[in-house]
Amino acid sequence: MATQNRTSESLPIIDDYSLIEVVDGFNHREIFDEAELHQLAQSINENGLLDPLKVSKNGKGSDMPYRLIDGERRLRAIKALHEQGVEVSFPVRVLREMDDESAVIVAAASNMERADITPLEEANIIAKLEAYGYDVNEIAAKMNRSDQWVRDRKALESGSRKIKNSLKNGRLPADVAVKLIRKNKEHKDQD
């Protein structure tokens, strides 16, 4: 069953997900839960893709005309449907051609709007923005967060493997992890 474009704006429709390049390590998300992907695929099959993928045009030298900026989970769900033999056409929002830094900022802002992003994924966003030379104040402004929030997420990067695993598994709240990390600089002391 083919899905229809159910967005209020007119966007290009694609029916071949292989036209979109997914750059390894670009996405801020680290966790792709199979049950959630299955549920998302079923929703897309029944209702269409309600939130278009964000892509930019790929530069010369690439076999694929588009590069994914936002929507890897949605794209994975579409791919799963195709693999099940379900024909899926989906809308994409083609953003102006952009450099890597601009793409990271757009993806970060989009991911920060979602409720299911983890504190470690947020810390990953902060680290990527710092790598482009942004300071705490600039990151806070771009992400619409406080300076303290940015400093707290930065602190998570220096946490021990045990703390990071506890955060990933939801066994440790981010604020408690930050306190442990700040109080104990050595990983063995954090554990």
Side-chain angles (χ1 to χ4, degrees):
M1 173 175 117
T3 59
Q4 298 174 346
N5 178 12
R6 294 190 172 98
T7 62
S8 60
E9 58 187 303
S10 178
L11 297 170
I13 304 295
I14 295 178
D15 59 7
D16 184 358
Y17 65 86
S18 69
L19 297 173
I20 302 173
E21 178 182 19
V22 178
V23 178
D24 285 337
F26 175 78
N27 194 336
H28 310 297
R29 292 190 179 274
E30 298 174 346
I31 300 170
F32 293 95
D33 181 85
E34 289 301 317
E36 288 177 8
L37 284 174
H38 177 75
Q39 186 178 18
L40 179 57
Q42 294 310 311
S43 175
I44 291 170
N45 188 36
E46 293 171 16
N47 305 307
L49 185 64
L50 302 177
D51 186 13
L53 302 177
K54 291 181 187 132
V55 299
S56 69
K57 293 199 179 227
N58 243 339
K60 294 179 181 170
S62 176
D63 295 339
M64 298 174 217
Y66 302 107
R67 174 174 66 151
L68 185 68
I69 303 299
D70 178 52
E72 187 171 348
R73 285 187 330 153
R74 286 169 275 156
L75 187 60
R76 285 177 182 226
I78 289 166
K79 182 179 178 182
L81 286 170
H82 275 276
E83 290 170 353
Q84 295 169 17
V86 178
E87 297 281 329
V88 180
S89 296
F90 52 93
V92 295
R93 179 171 287 120
V94 182
L95 307 173
R96 61 180 167 67
E97 197 168 317
M98 59 181 59
D99 60 16
D100 289 343
E101 179 179 346
S102 298
V104 165
I105 291 169
V106 168
S110 184
N111 278 320
M112 293 299 291
E113 294 173 3
R114 292 182 170 70
D116 61 346
I117 189 168
T118 70
L120 285 177
E121 290 167 340
E122 293 168 342
N124 186 11
I125 290 170
I126 302 307
K128 285 184 178 185
L129 293 174
E130 281 186 315
Y132 284 109
Y134 293 100
D135 65 22
V136 169
N137 296 336
E138 293 167 323
I139 294 170
K142 287 193 177 303
M143 297 298 105
N144 198 25
R145 299 291 194 272
S146 70
D147 291 358
Q148 185 61 51
W149 182 91
V150 173
R151 284 190 289 276
D152 288 349
R153 290 309 181 262
K154 280 181 59 167
L156 296 177
E157 283 290 307
S158 63
S160 70
R161 180 178 292 141
K162 192 171 188 178
I163 284 183
K164 289 179 178 180
N165 284 337
S166 294
L167 278 166
K168 280 182 187 177
N169 297 328
R171 294 188 315 247
L172 183 66
D175 60 333
V176 173
V178 168
K179 287 176 186 173
L180 284 170
I181 292 166
R182 287 195 173 131
K183 184 177 178 184
N184 305 291
K185 300 298 181 196
E186 298 295 322
H187 284 184
K188 63 180 174 59
D189 296 332
Q190 292 173 9
D191 293 346

